[in-house]
Amino acid sequence: MTSRRSARLLAKAASPILTPKASKVLKKPVTKKPAVRVAAAVLSTKVPAIDAGVTHATLADPGMMEAAILYLKSADPKLGQIIDQTTDECSMSLTRDDDNETSFVSLCKSVIFQQLAGNAARAILLRFLKRYGTLTDTSKAPLLNDDSSELQLTDFEFPTAQQVVAMDVEEMKAVGLGQRKAEYLQAVAEQFNSGALSEKMLLGMSDENVSRTLV
């Protein structure tokens, strides 16, 4: 006849070996994490499907915008409350300093601003434009050598892709650009200068294809 002590030992040997810490964890009640609860809420809420292959031209479609807003509100109730309180018009259009700004200029500015605080990036961009850009008002030329001048980013035209390709990387670094950013700017410029990329081509691509092309 097996003793009680032997029975306990046999039971212990047959069960998984748990440390005291692991045992305490197992005894705690299982609760769903916030992310799980949100995912469950999204799955239980019917929202219009969003086609990942849409082109930029269709992003301005009111139906697409409505679908995107509904999805965000269902996925994040707190964000949904903020959206409901917002009176500004929602838009998927990219904000640009100038409505006539080209994709080439936008990409170059994105490279310069990447991983930098806004003020620091604007300061570097202004030095870059003072060195390589073209003043729209030539009467302001004397201000180019004045660091305390009131010249603004909008006072300059961004250099062309051909001009950026011809720039010296070491000179580009002198205005505050890092080695990699200077190289990235030239790489972007080479693509546009050679015709491998163009304004028309990018506007007709889906977000996924744009990312794949740029990477």
Side-chain angles (χ1 to χ4, degrees):
M1 182 174 179
T2 307
S3 65
R4 292 183 180 179
R5 183 172 181 276
S6 298
R8 287 198 300 271
L9 290 175
L10 289 172
K12 184 176 181 180
S15 62
I17 300 175
L18 300 176
T19 63
K21 184 177 181 180
S23 299
K24 290 181 181 179
V25 172
L26 289 180
K27 289 179 182 179
K28 292 182 179 180
V30 178
T31 57
K32 291 183 179 180
K33 295 182 178 179
V36 176
R37 292 198 297 270
V38 170
V42 173
L43 292 174
S44 63
T45 304
K46 293 183 179 180
V47 295
I50 299 177
D51 183 3
V54 297
T55 63
H56 291 280
T58 63
L59 291 178
D61 187 313
M64 179 62 66
M65 176 59 68
E66 182 181 356
I69 293 174
L70 286 175
Y71 179 83
L72 289 173
K73 291 171 69 174
S74 64
D76 190 334
K78 289 186 178 180
L79 177 60
Q81 293 176 5
I82 296 174
I83 292 175
D84 289 337
Q85 295 170 7
T86 301
T87 57
D88 295 333
E89 180 184 357
C90 286
S91 173
M92 289 186 180
S93 300
L94 294 177
T95 301
R96 292 179 173 177
D97 294 331
D98 182 352
D99 290 337
N100 297 319
E101 189 172 277
T102 65
S103 295
F104 167 68
V105 175
S106 293
L107 282 171
C108 287
K109 287 184 177 180
S110 296
V111 170
I112 294 173
F113 273 71
Q114 186 179 21
Q115 297 181 330
L116 289 177
N119 289 337
R122 277 187 285 274
I124 292 174
L125 177 57
L126 184 57
R127 289 198 295 270
F128 178 83
L129 291 175
K130 283 183 176 181
R131 175 67 178 81
Y132 299 107
T134 303
L135 273 173
T136 55
D137 184 354
T138 55
S139 66
K140 294 182 179 181
L143 299 175
L144 286 174
N145 297 322
D146 184 2
D147 292 335
S148 61
S149 70
E150 295 182 357
L151 286 175
Q152 304 293 322
L153 299 177
T154 51
D155 290 323
F156 297 89
E157 288 183 4
F158 201 88
T160 65
Q162 185 177 10
Q163 290 172 326
V164 175
V165 169
M167 292 177 187
D168 181 77
V169 172
E170 292 302 317
E171 290 183 5
M172 294 170 74
K173 289 166 62 177
V175 301
L177 291 170
Q179 175 79 24
R180 297 299 296 275
K181 285 194 175 185
E183 293 173 351
Y184 288 155
L185 285 177
Q186 288 202 317
V188 170
E190 286 172 1
Q191 293 295 307
F192 278 89
N193 191 50
S194 67
L197 282 179
S198 69
E199 184 83 8
K200 183 178 180 180
M201 185 186 303
L202 290 174
L203 288 175
M205 289 182 180
S206 66
D207 288 346
E208 182 179 3
N209 286 337
V210 169
S211 298
R212 186 183 299 113
T213 301
L214 296 179
V215 171

